[in-house]
Amino acid sequence: MNEFVTQFVIESRELVEQATAGLLILEQAPNDAEQLDSVFRAFHTLKGGAGIVEFAAMERAVHGAEEILSGARTGKRALTTALVGECLACLDQVVQWLDVVEQTGEFPSSAAKPEAGENWLADMLERNAGVRARAATALQFIPDADCFYQGEDPLARITALPELLALDVQPLVAWPSLDSFDPFKCNLVLTALTAASMSEVTAHMHGHSGTCETRTISPLEIAPQDLALPSQARDILDAQRALLNYATPGNFIGFVASAGLTAANVLRSCARLEAAAIVAQATEKSLIENSTEPLRNCLSQLFSPKPAVDTETTRGSGRPEAATQTLRIDARRVDALVRLTGELTVAKNAAGHVAKLAQEEGNALAGVLKDRQVILDRLIAELQESVLGMRVLPLRSVLQRFPRVVREMSLNLGKPLTLEIEGDNTEADKAIVEMLFEPLLHIVRNAVDHGIEPPAERAARGKPSTARIGLRAARQADQVIVEISDDGGGIDVARVREVAQARGVATDEELRQMAEPDIIDLVFAAGFSTAAKVTELSGRGVGMDAVRTAVERVGGRVSIESRAGLGATVRFSLPFSVMMTQVMTVEAGGQMFGVPLDAIVETVSVPKTAIVGIGAAHAMALRNRTVPVVDLAAVLGLREAMSGEADATIVVTSVAGHFGGLRVDRIGQRLEVILKPLDGLLTGMPGITGTTLLGDGRVLLVLDIGELLQ
Amino acid sequence: MTIKLSAAGNVELTGICSSDEGEILLQHLLATPNIMVDWRGCEAAHTAVIQVLMATRPKLLGPPASVLLEKWVQPVLAATMDK
């Protein structure tokens, strides 16, 4: 990928983030001119970037959204939830394209189709609101460039569409300069709205050359935020709806016209201008079709319980613009630095050993060497700390993805939600930040899906209809705490008990002895899922046990607290920095163990005869030094000492200046792992310094060489 | 020939303008910058001709003779001029 494109991808991603955050704020506060400007600028810059790298499809898509925002800026149109949704959809498409560009270094070929990602339909309806009520079908026609040679006249074909209501013609790509303009090449996108049905339109367009997309236009919909009306207004509207039931052929026109007019006036007086316009159109449609249906349906929409979306991000007042002095560094370079620092530690340890040898031999330089060694030790420790500090990221990058996620969940499940994010400046190691999204998402999904009650039930329990989801992050000593709380129904302990029993997660006897918190903790057990109904959101077979595994893998803990009827809080306690330990895996007695790499001097293969018994122990000579040898499998009690065979594989280790040899069956690979100290029953077990999870989920015991060789 | 220079110094579209006349119209417009296009006599125009008008955005003298052109094509051209 060339440098320009790389830069383009990085910058575009930042702009998408900026625009997304801004749009979500705008959805709540459509009059925030500063936010609107910021979002508009982000879209504008995105478009500019796409232009520079000549990514025409993205340029067009972003241009569409920019037009909407431009309209909002000049006050020509209000920024409704639907329009914000369109802009967000546009950004989603951009992100998808960026992913493809990043992976392949090429601009996605699917994007060559100009209609991809563009929401031409919404745009067209927006611009032709006057005919919205009558429109039944929309189409976008992009004739082939050489269609003129085939005797095609696209414009004539479209203007001859039955019951054409609106027409828009745009250049497919921006007009070239006139001297290079080819009048024989068709460069148009024709978009039309018609009252004719889909089948009529399809029949009319039969035999065209080019791409033609037709869509059925759904009946009028009133934007969800227009639904919250004062009760008196609702009463009047309801009365108009009732009035329609009494319309007879004789009084039809009078009834419909007066009901429609009254309803529109009520909406206008509540400043619901868009809804009022829609009602007026429905009235007109009712009069034309001689049926009360359109107006009745339209009024009914005002009473349908659609959720109001209430997503909120905490916004630092006057957050300074990103003028901080930061450098963009490829994460791989930082990782390389971390690795090198690790190597340096190993080298430092070796140097320490040399200093000790010099001292033993009474070398004159021993004292100086020792002094230098101490300084080196301190410097390398500092270096390691600052290098690991480079991997620290704010949790914002994860948490800021949630307002969108929650917004969608709220719409999909019909549960109004507020999201409160706190402490998104809290920092943690990159590895922690990166692994956090999936488990958090799972918990949030569970909370929304199972925790939060449907609005009706909430009302019955005397709770506010808008539920609250809280995401809090904070630093506590060397831990990072992330909490996900909800004010839903809490965890149903009786149900957990029932399910645990039914699924064999715990026996009757065990359950009887468990305290309530222990029972609640069972939701993290493998094979447990309380979802009575599998929904799109959760219950996809990945249980809470996956969450616990993911968190424990980086050395964290998960706990849950629930109060019946008041909600639940899931708490992740994560280590602030993840110390990566390099280990080498070895096999002994059919099991795999890890040996810390900084304890290993070398690995050798020696003939069996080189190992001789000295009293009860064994030793071998290695480069004029006697090295005690321990059979790893035997010392761990896995089997009797080995005998027979020709060669023995020995891992030569050095801990605090003492050499030792571990006899193993086989040597595995080098791994970088996160070492987790032993806890629970294993605490204080000799010979084991910690455990780590392997990629395949197996537990790797990492040996404490010093203790083993004692 | 349905596209020609008029006595008033405008480009005049009359009758039914076919697809190959887009080229002729373009030549006229390139030859004389800021020339007006009089399409009051135009009864129908092929997409190719309209496309030239969209790309070059000359001042138009209308309305055209055809109702279809006046109702659908004129607003499209007017929208182009606004940009």
Side-chain angles (χ1 to χ4, degrees):
Chain A
M1 192 159 45
N2 84 39
E3 209 178 309
F4 277 126
V5 177
T6 315
Q7 201 62 27
F8 161 74
V9 171
I10 294 173
E11 281 177 8
S12 297
R13 285 198 193 280
E14 286 176 0
L15 289 164
V16 168
E17 273 175 20
Q18 184 192 338
T20 308
L23 281 170
L24 291 173
I25 294 171
L26 274 181
E27 191 172 25
Q28 301 309 310
N31 298 323
D32 188 336
E34 198 185 318
Q35 253 335 305
L36 185 57
D37 281 348
S38 149
V39 172
F40 178 78
R41 271 199 306 275
F43 272 92
H44 189 75
T45 319
L46 268 177
K47 187 175 85 165
I52 290 171
V53 298
E54 297 185 338
F55 185 2
M58 175 168 150
E59 201 180 346
R60 276 195 304 273
V62 176
H63 175 76
E66 193 192 349
E67 288 278 279
I68 293 178
L69 293 168
S70 163
R73 266 176 110 207
T74 52
K76 272 190 202 149
R77 68 174 82 163
L79 204 55
T80 60
T81 303
L83 286 179
V84 169
E86 299 296 350
C87 292
L88 288 172
C90 168
L91 292 177
D92 282 343
Q93 179 63 54
V94 169
V95 169
Q96 278 178 24
W97 280 334
L98 291 176
D99 287 345
V100 174
V101 173
E102 201 165 42
Q103 276 159 23
T104 63
E106 308 264 322
F107 293 111
S109 54
S110 68
K113 277 191 185 168
E115 71 272 20
E118 273 187 84
N119 224 310
W120 56 269
L121 176 57
D123 196 38
M124 189 69 182
L125 290 174
E126 184 72 25
R127 271 185 286 123
N128 297 285
V131 297
R132 173 69 176 88
R134 285 192 292 143
T137 312
L139 92 162
Q140 185 167 59
F141 178 35
I142 301 163
D144 284 342
D146 60 353
C147 69
F148 296 163
Y149 292 109
Q150 298 163 21
E152 239 331 278
D153 187 349
L155 200 53
R157 192 191 271 268
I158 296 292
T159 48
L161 267 172
E163 299 181 70
L164 182 63
L165 297 171
L167 171 72
D168 185 43
V169 185
Q170 295 289 338
L172 179 61
V173 292
W175 296 114
S177 64
L178 291 184
D179 41 340
S180 60
F181 176 65
D182 178 0
F184 297 109
K185 201 174 126 192
C186 186
N187 176 38
L188 296 174
V189 183
L190 299 100
T191 317
L193 294 179
T194 143
S197 69
M198 176 75 113
S199 55
E200 279 176 275
V201 172
T202 317
H204 180 85
M205 293 304 292
H206 180 76
H208 68 78
S209 58
T211 44
C212 182
E213 193 185 344
T214 46
R215 294 206 203 155
T216 306
I217 297 170
S218 54
L220 283 170
E221 271 186 28
I222 289 171
Q225 82 266 30
D226 286 344
L227 294 178
L229 290 168
S231 62
Q232 296 98 320
R234 294 182 76 89
D235 289 346
I236 302 174
L237 290 171
D238 206 19
Q240 305 314 309
R241 188 163 58 145
L243 182 69
L244 292 178
N245 293 335
Y246 301 101
T248 59
N251 61 20
F252 175 82
I253 295 176
F255 266 50
V256 169
S258 98
L261 192 64
T262 313
N265 281 339
V266 166
L267 289 168
R268 228 168 267 138
S269 76
C270 300
R272 303 293 193 280
L273 298 182
E274 272 187 35
I278 292 172
V279 168
Q281 284 158 24
T283 311
E284 190 191 342
K285 194 172 178 194
S286 270
L287 292 172
I288 293 170
E289 292 177 7
N290 204 14
S291 147
T292 57
E293 246 358 86
L295 182 58
R296 196 204 309 270
N297 289 343
C298 179
L299 289 178
S300 297
Q301 277 179 47
L302 291 167
F303 294 93
S304 64
K306 271 197 184 175
V309 194
D310 191 5
T311 318
E312 196 174 279
T313 46
T314 46
R315 197 149 55 107
S317 52
R319 195 179 344 166
E321 286 298 316
T324 43
Q325 292 191 330
T326 46
L327 272 180
R328 260 195 214 124
I329 298 174
D330 191 332
R332 278 171 302 186
R333 292 193 187 182
V334 176
D335 287 343
L337 210 52
V338 172
R339 253 200 317 281
L340 273 177
T341 316
E343 303 276 349
L344 205 54
T345 313
V346 176
K348 175 207 72 182
N349 291 345
H353 181 62
V354 172
K356 196 159 184 225
L357 274 185
Q359 202 176 12
E360 279 167 12
E361 286 178 15
N363 193 307
L365 287 173
V368 193
L369 217 56
K370 184 108 201 272
D371 285 351
R372 294 290 136 195
Q373 156 70 15
V374 170
I375 296 172
L376 199 60
D377 213 356
R378 180 171 55 79
L379 288 178
I380 289 178
E382 272 176 31
L383 176 66
Q384 192 152 27
E385 199 173 304
S386 30
V387 165
L388 283 173
M390 284 166 71
R391 286 170 47 98
V392 165
L393 290 177
L395 288 175
R396 191 181 311 119
S397 58
V398 175
L399 299 184
Q400 75 185 5
R401 293 167 72 178
F402 280 90
R404 287 233 25 213
V405 171
V406 169
R407 175 181 187 269
E408 263 154 43
M409 285 182 196
S410 171
L411 287 174
N412 289 346
L413 289 175
K415 294 178 179 175
L417 295 173
T418 326
L419 176 67
E420 286 165 11
I421 296 179
E422 268 176 43
D424 59 351
N425 285 326
T426 311
E427 293 179 323
D429 188 89
K430 183 167 157 286
I432 302 275
V433 175
E434 280 167 359
M435 61 65 66
L436 208 49
F437 181 69
E438 285 287 322
L440 274 183
L441 180 64
H442 198 86
I443 302 286
V444 170
R445 272 179 179 155
N446 266 323
V448 175
D449 217 6
H450 311 311
I452 308 272
E453 313 92 330
E457 204 177 317
R458 288 183 67 89
R461 291 185 180 183
K463 291 185 184 181
S465 64
T466 303
R468 191 189 52 77
I469 297 276
L471 272 177
R472 263 171 220 93
R475 175 91 185 260
Q476 263 178 24
D478 61 345
Q479 298 240 295
V480 175
I481 310 291
V482 182
E483 280 184 348
I484 308 98
S485 59
D486 67 71
D487 65 348
I491 291 170
D492 185 346
V493 180
R495 175 103 184 99
V496 173
R497 200 190 290 266
E498 220 172 86
V499 172
Q501 197 180 344
R503 309 222 168 132
V505 175
T507 64
D508 273 3
E509 182 59 33
E510 284 167 338
L511 285 171
R512 221 168 295 130
Q513 290 177 0
M514 276 186 191
E516 202 164 276
D518 295 331
I519 292 179
I520 290 173
D521 202 59
L522 284 177
V523 298
F524 290 114
F528 188 97
S529 168
T530 45
K533 172 178 85 166
V534 173
T535 67
E536 193 200 338
L537 284 183
S538 52
R540 269 188 277 200
V542 192
M544 294 279 272
D545 58 321
V547 171
R548 178 163 272 182
T549 310
V551 172
E552 288 187 349
R553 208 165 151 176
V554 292
R557 273 175 297 122
V558 189
S559 61
I560 190 164
E561 211 176 279
S562 164
R563 284 186 295 166
L566 294 174
T569 303
V570 177
R571 172 193 283 247
F572 292 3
S573 311
L574 301 154
F576 170 71
S577 83
V578 181
M579 265 309 285
M580 302 296 272
T581 313
Q582 291 196 322
V583 299
M584 189 175 79
T585 61
V586 296
E587 249 181 79
Q591 279 195 35
M592 205 194 267
F593 298 97
V595 181
L597 206 63
D598 55 3
I600 298 176
V601 177
E602 61 180 317
T603 54
V604 289
S605 186
V606 295
K608 177 81 168 62
T609 50
I611 301 171
V612 292
I614 303 175
H618 288 85
M620 67 171 192
L622 182 72
R623 289 197 270 278
N624 292 331
R625 180 194 288 273
T626 307
V627 176
V629 175
V630 163
D631 188 330
L632 185 57
V635 81
L636 293 173
L638 296 170
R639 61 161 156 68
E640 292 302 312
M642 262 204 283
S643 55
E645 288 124 83
D647 283 0
T649 306
I650 309 286
V651 177
V652 183
T653 60
S654 160
V655 178
H658 297 290
F659 277 82
L662 279 183
R663 182 163 180 200
V664 299
D665 296 357
R666 205 166 294 117
I667 288 179
Q669 80 241 36
R670 265 172 72 162
L671 291 174
E672 206 162 69
V673 299
I674 297 153
L675 208 56
K676 203 185 152 209
L678 294 172
D679 58 7
L681 284 174
L682 291 175
T683 321
M685 180 172 168
I688 308 288
T689 157
T691 60
T692 188
L693 279 178
L694 290 175
D696 59 3
R698 274 187 300 167
V699 175
L700 181 75
L701 295 175
V702 178
L703 304 173
D704 185 333
I705 303 297
E707 266 181 90
L708 269 185
L709 292 175
Q710 256 174 16
Chain B
M1 187 67 90
T2 58
I3 295 186
K4 59 177 190 297
L5 283 176
S6 73
N10 301 328
V11 183
E12 212 172 59
L13 311 189
T14 45
I16 297 164
C17 305
S18 63
S19 64
D20 44 356
E21 283 177 297
E23 164 93 80
I24 300 161
L25 175 61
L26 181 65
Q27 292 313 326
H28 282 305
L29 292 169
L30 283 177
T32 326
N34 297 327
I35 194 168
M36 292 249 279
V37 174
D38 180 351
W39 69 332
R40 285 174 297 187
C42 183
E43 286 156 29
H46 191 272
T47 310
V49 176
I50 302 299
Q51 187 177 257
V52 170
L53 292 175
M54 283 180 74
T56 53
R57 307 180 202 179
K59 279 213 181 78
L60 289 173
L61 207 59
S66 128
V67 180
L68 218 56
L69 282 181
E70 188 182 347
K71 185 170 179 197
W72 297 117
V73 181
Q74 186 163 272
V76 165
L77 290 174
T80 316
M81 303 299 154
D82 286 346
K83 286 200 177 163

